Amino acid sequence: MLRKVCDDPAFYLTVATSEAPLASFFSKFTAPVTSTGLFNNPYLTNPGGLHTFAVNSLEQAKALVADITARGAQAAEMDAHARDTHDITRKLDQLSDVLCRVLDLCGYVRELHPSHAFRRQAQLAHEMLYEYMNELNTNEDIYLALKYAMETPANLARWSSEDVAVGQILMNDFENSGLHMASGAGNTREGFVSLTQEIAVLGQTFQQGVGRLALGHVALTPEEADRVPRAHTMLGLARAQGKSKRRVALQGTLPYQLLRSCPEESVRRKIWIAIHSPAEQQEQLLEALLVDRALLARLMGSNSYAEYNLKLKMARTPEQVMEFLTAVMDVQRPKLDAELATLRAIKMQGTCADADVMPWDLTYLKTQLAIQKPSKQTESHLDYFSVGTVLRGISELFQSIYGIHFRSVPVLSGESWHQDVRKIEIVCEEEGVIGIMYLDLFLRPDKNGHPAHYNIVCARKVFADEFADANTSNGNFSPAGVEEVFQLPVIALVCDFAKNDPDHTTSLLHQHQVETLFHEFGHAIHSMLGRTIYHSISGTRTPSDFVEVPLILMESFARDPRVLARMGRHYETGQPISEQAVRLMVDHGATFPALELFSTLKLAAVDMALHGEEVLRAGRPRAGFAARIAHRVERDFGVLADTYSNGQAQCSHLNSYGANYYSYVLGKLTAQRIWDKWFVTDPYARSGGTAFRAGVLKWGGGRDPWRMLADVLEIEALAKGDKQAMRILAGDK
């Protein structure tokens, strides 16, 4: 069923109108519904419903704030033993959930919904609640109420570890907004709200502009054009009007095809630089974003945004990050040199006199190496990895290691935003349904389809006194009884897979796309299995330099020949993939791991420098400072140095992972250690899944990541999270 509903639209239509097996919370005590709003939220049957949903949620939030601040005022009049603030963390978490249900949903709708009206209303609703949330971050009455609660011995005696964890997280958030500062607090709070609001707008605008290039085409000389493979000249090299040159349009697939197959280095160089050179506005937006972040850090008493942002992360300081990156580089250097030597030898076989491997050479040289590998493969592995087949394979893997599986269910009328969207339930063999997932996996015009995982609703316990407010929720609830009702996590998983079989119905995946799907399900499973009492620490709401570990671990499963062999089935006949095809697939899909890690490491160093003290060291920096800093870092690393483009202004991660991109390096090395300890012998071992679920996934963000790593890897020295722990993960013996 799971495979067919994703691979066969005609079959899906035959089951799409049947009654959903899991009733919505809103109809639990009435007749089953056949239609609803977006994401099963009854408010969202039309764009205007987003405004109503936001306004009602805002009113609910204000009522919670009034309750919390009243308790804080009462607590101020009492001694620490008499304060009735035992449930402050629960109330604050409920407040956070009320706001995030709107913010998270609107964040998705404004990017992915095909309707301009829905996107516009989502933007307005998001702005309304985001501004209110920033005001709450600087609300001294709420801060004091929480502070009193955490200083009350009776509370601490009865609080669970989750109460304490949420309380500390919220305290850290308040103090990160300057509420602990004794002098100038008013100006600090106003400045914080203003800057964070501006940073959010700049970041969103920058994100939307990623992909906009300075040029629309690249001009080639007649000699260069003659060196372009004939197949590509027929595909799209256009003669420049009135000139004896040809030009390559930078839209579409042609420039990337030329990077893979054109033997003329000057052609590759021009194209590579052009596709890494963004529109001038992108550079200006990035620099404005970096300056505002630096100003925010100064306002909060830090020397740089990196210092400000890292205080509560695993790495803790910029210095510790750079020491970690240096240690990784030292460990990886011999492997990096060996991989570069392989590529250099391939380049020397060609006509180019310069044997140094340049950034524009990588794709071409890797392609040439793949071509030179002997292959007797007569069948394409694509035929064995349709989207539905891979989803079924992931479900079987999760059943084996975690005891959970996917169940396809019909989408109600109005529940989705496109006919290609599929809905599945995550079913646990012990607990039943533990989450809802919407799959928006296929490419379509005007879709921003970069692979991503979106939290729409986070898991948390819903207490009895909240039932009267349940109509503001946009999710389902577990039917676990009145005393134990849980808000089920709801996520949306987005990809950009083309429907590429002859009938344009089934999407067949290359190996890197299989890895992409596994990667995104690493986030998804974290959201589903991190089922905590509180929203604030649910699933992927962990420190951002730890959140990548589960999804990078999933990539190891996607590269394992045992998993590929068990999963691969012909999309038409159902026949299993042959051992030879799997071997060739793994062999030809083999990458250059040290080079890949080096590229991530170098970008992490650029990220740290762009968010470092240098930005405001001499006052407001001159235009072009981001490129100057990035080029200096590139020269310092020396290998594959990009001092030719302004590619940093094309990197969306500088917005979403500001001063935190090193987490990918940390995640890669951590995930590899977990794989080697628990799964390398048997990727389907329940013992490995149990250890990872119990040691990491189930805690969400409710436990110190270093403590989780120490437990799951059985290395107690990691628990300290100090320089030695970072060196252990770097592989420095």
Side-chain angles (χ1 to χ4, degrees):
M1 175 73 75
L2 182 66
R3 181 185 64 80
K4 291 180 73 175
V5 298
C6 290
D7 288 350
D8 186 346
F11 172 80
Y12 177 71
L13 288 175
T14 67
V15 299
T17 56
S18 61
E19 182 182 326
L22 180 68
S24 164
F25 177 80
F26 306 106
S27 61
K28 190 161 38 171
F29 305 109
T30 61
V33 296
T34 57
S35 65
T36 183
L38 198 64
F39 287 113
N40 204 15
N41 182 330
Y43 281 103
L44 308 186
T45 57
N46 58 72
L50 281 162
H51 177 75
T52 305
F53 181 43
V55 169
N56 288 0
S57 297
L58 184 59
E59 291 304 312
Q60 186 181 359
K62 289 178 178 179
L64 283 166
V65 168
D67 181 24
I68 293 165
T69 54
R71 293 174 188 232
Q74 293 171 358
E77 305 297 324
M78 304 177 184
D79 63 51
H81 293 278
R83 295 170 182 158
D84 182 21
T85 55
H86 68 279
D87 62 349
I88 285 290
T89 51
R90 177 165 75 85
K91 291 294 183 181
L92 284 171
D93 185 78
Q94 185 183 350
L95 172 63
S96 175
D97 182 54
V98 167
L99 296 174
C100 286
R101 287 189 217 137
V102 180
L103 291 168
D104 290 344
L105 183 143
C106 288
Y108 180 86
V109 171
R110 70 184 184 182
E111 289 190 36
L112 273 301
H113 202 287
S115 164
H116 173 76
F118 261 105
R119 294 196 305 271
R120 175 62 179 160
Q121 288 296 326
Q123 177 64 30
L124 294 174
H126 191 280
E127 289 176 0
M128 180 198 308
L129 267 73
Y130 190 80
E131 182 176 4
Y132 180 71
M133 185 178 69
N134 276 332
E135 292 173 1
L136 293 182
N137 287 338
T138 58
N139 185 309
E140 190 171 12
D141 292 334
I142 298 178
Y143 169 67
L144 291 175
L146 178 61
K147 189 171 184 290
Y148 294 143
M150 296 195 70
E151 292 174 349
T152 301
N155 289 342
L156 297 178
R158 66 191 292 188
W159 279 3
S160 68
S161 60
E162 289 190 23
D163 285 304
V164 175
V166 169
Q168 192 59 57
I169 289 170
L170 294 172
M171 281 292 290
N172 292 337
D173 287 343
F174 280 125
E175 293 183 355
N176 236 15
S177 304
L179 280 178
H180 61 298
M181 294 180 175
S183 61
N187 292 334
T188 297
R189 288 194 287 275
E190 291 173 8
F192 176 85
V193 171
S194 175
L195 277 171
T196 51
Q197 194 78 5
E198 186 172 342
I199 286 168
V201 173
L202 285 170
Q204 183 190 350
T205 308
F206 173 79
Q207 202 84 11
Q208 291 172 343
V210 169
R212 295 174 186 165
L213 303 180
L215 299 174
H217 66 273
V218 169
L220 306 182
T221 66
E223 293 76 18
E224 289 171 334
D226 288 341
R227 293 282 291 161
V228 173
R230 181 168 177 77
H232 296 316
T233 63
M234 298 176 69
L235 277 175
L237 277 189
R239 184 177 297 278
Q241 186 175 5
K243 298 181 181 179
S244 59
K245 293 184 178 181
R246 295 182 179 271
R247 59 187 183 186
V248 180
L250 297 177
Q251 292 76 31
T253 62
L254 179 57
Y256 301 95
Q257 292 172 345
L258 289 172
L259 285 176
R260 286 196 300 270
S261 61
C262 183
E264 181 63 37
E265 182 174 359
S266 64
V267 174
R268 299 196 306 272
R269 183 181 189 275
K270 286 182 177 180
I271 292 173
W272 189 91
I273 292 174
I275 64 177
H276 288 83
S277 297
E280 183 179 357
Q281 182 188 16
Q282 280 298 105
E283 299 177 52
Q284 295 169 349
L285 284 168
L286 175 62
E287 293 187 345
L289 178 66
L290 295 173
V291 168
D292 275 3
R293 283 176 170 172
L295 290 171
L296 178 67
R298 290 279 183 90
L299 184 69
M300 294 294 105
S302 296
N303 294 313
S304 69
Y305 186 77
E307 179 184 304
Y308 168 74
N309 193 45
L310 289 172
K311 290 177 181 178
L312 304 177
K313 302 294 192 297
M314 291 177 68
R316 298 173 183 169
T317 67
E319 294 74 23
Q320 195 150 301
V321 170
M322 293 310 300
E323 288 182 17
F324 168 69
L325 296 178
T326 301
V328 174
M329 186 64 184
D330 291 343
V331 171
Q332 296 292 323
R333 189 72 203 210
K335 300 174 186 177
L336 177 65
D337 289 342
E339 292 178 3
L340 285 171
T342 298
L343 294 176
R344 193 176 295 114
I346 297 294
K347 187 172 182 179
M348 291 177 67
Q349 295 174 8
T351 59
C352 183
D354 184 2
D356 285 341
V357 179
M358 304 301 289
W360 46 82
D361 291 331
L362 276 179
T363 302
Y364 175 74
L365 296 176
K366 290 178 181 180
T367 302
Q368 293 304 302
L369 184 63
I371 291 172
Q372 293 179 16
K373 289 182 179 181
S375 174
K376 297 180 180 178
Q377 188 171 5
T378 59
E379 57 184 356
S380 171
H381 76 266
L382 289 174
D383 294 341
Y384 294 86
F385 295 96
S386 67
V387 166
T389 297
V390 175
L391 286 174
R392 183 180 66 178
I394 295 174
S395 180
E396 291 177 352
L397 173 67
F398 285 170
Q399 177 65 56
S400 182
I401 63 178
Y402 297 130
I404 64 174
H405 68 275
F406 306 156
R407 180 169 68 197
S408 177
V409 293
V411 178
L412 299 176
S413 175
E415 188 175 5
S416 81
W417 49 100
H418 193 272
Q419 62 185 12
D420 283 344
V421 173
R422 301 291 183 263
K423 179 181 177 182
I424 61 175
E425 295 172 345
I426 313 301
V427 185
C428 175
E429 61 190 21
E430 296 175 348
E431 303 173 56
V433 177
I434 59 172
I436 306 293
M437 190 181 305
Y438 293 87
L439 305 177
D440 187 359
L441 303 180
F442 303 114
L443 189 65
R444 59 178 178 267
D446 301 324
K447 174 186 173 184
N448 178 16
H450 297 297
H453 156 279
Y454 294 82
N455 285 312
I456 307 300
V457 179
C458 286
R460 73 176 182 95
K461 183 176 178 179
V462 181
F463 293 84
D465 61 356
E466 298 178 54
F467 286 172
D469 299 319
N471 64 351
T472 64
S473 182
N474 57 324
N476 295 285
F477 289 74
S478 61
V482 175
E483 296 301 321
E484 286 289 322
V485 174
F486 271 82
Q487 182 171 274
L488 293 181
V490 178
I491 70 166
L493 198 154
V494 177
C495 287
D496 56 356
F497 302 143
K499 295 180 179 179
N500 51 7
D501 78 323
D503 297 323
H504 301 288
T505 56
T506 302
S507 183
L508 307 176
L509 305 183
H510 292 279
Q511 186 181 17
H512 72 89
Q513 293 174 312
V514 174
E515 291 179 16
T516 295
L517 204 49
F518 270 71
H519 177 105
E520 297 304 336
F521 267 95
H523 269 320
I525 207 62
H526 201 178
S527 294
M528 299 300 162
L529 294 181
R531 184 165 166 167
T532 52
I533 292 176
Y534 291 124
H535 147 93
S536 303
I537 54 174
S538 173
T540 57
R541 295 188 184 276
T542 70
S544 53
D545 50 358
F546 184 72
V547 75
E548 302 297 330
V549 172
L551 59 92
I552 296 175
L553 177 65
M554 282 297 295
E555 294 175 6
S556 295
F557 289 95
R559 298 187 186 111
D560 191 281
R562 295 162 294 183
V563 175
L564 295 172
R566 183 163 166 176
M567 179 171 56
R569 294 290 185 274
H570 196 281
Y571 78 104
E572 288 182 325
T573 67
Q575 290 297 309
I577 191 170
S578 68
E579 291 185 14
Q580 179 197 39
V582 170
R583 285 198 306 271
L584 289 170
M585 179 181 174
V586 172
D587 184 38
H588 281 267
T591 58
F592 290 74
L595 268 170
E596 287 188 359
L597 185 59
F598 170 76
S599 296
T600 306
L601 185 152
K602 187 166 61 171
L603 184 53
V606 170
D607 175 43
M608 292 302 297
L610 290 175
H611 290 94
E613 295 182 32
E614 182 178 350
V615 174
L616 292 181
R617 183 173 292 155
R620 284 269 183 173
R622 291 183 292 111
F625 75 88
R628 291 192 292 272
I629 292 174
H631 290 173
R632 189 200 69 235
V633 175
E634 292 276 354
R635 285 192 296 271
D636 290 345
F637 274 87
V639 178
L640 298 168
D642 173 20
T643 57
Y644 310 91
S645 79
N646 292 329
Q648 73 283 343
Q650 283 284 68
C651 182
S652 62
H653 286 84
L654 288 177
N655 172 47
S656 54
Y657 278 78
N660 198 43
Y661 195 77
Y662 73 92
S663 61
Y664 276 100
V665 182
L666 191 66
K668 281 177 182 286
L669 299 174
T670 302
Q672 186 61 52
R673 280 186 169 269
I674 294 170
W675 171 266
D676 290 342
K677 180 169 183 62
W678 291 109
F679 299 105
V680 70
T681 302
D682 179 7
Y684 286 90
R686 177 63 69 92
S687 57
T690 299
F692 189 56
R693 182 176 183 177
V696 174
L697 295 177
K698 83 167 189 176
W699 297 98
R703 203 176 193 200
D704 176 39
W706 288 111
R707 180 69 263 168
M708 289 191 276
L709 289 182
D711 289 348
V712 76
L713 291 174
E714 298 177 345
I715 303 174
E716 188 58 30
L718 290 174
K720 295 181 180 179
D722 54 10
K723 292 182 180 180
Q724 181 190 1
M726 296 287 282
R727 286 196 297 268
I728 290 172
L729 292 182
D732 185 1
K733 299 179 181 179

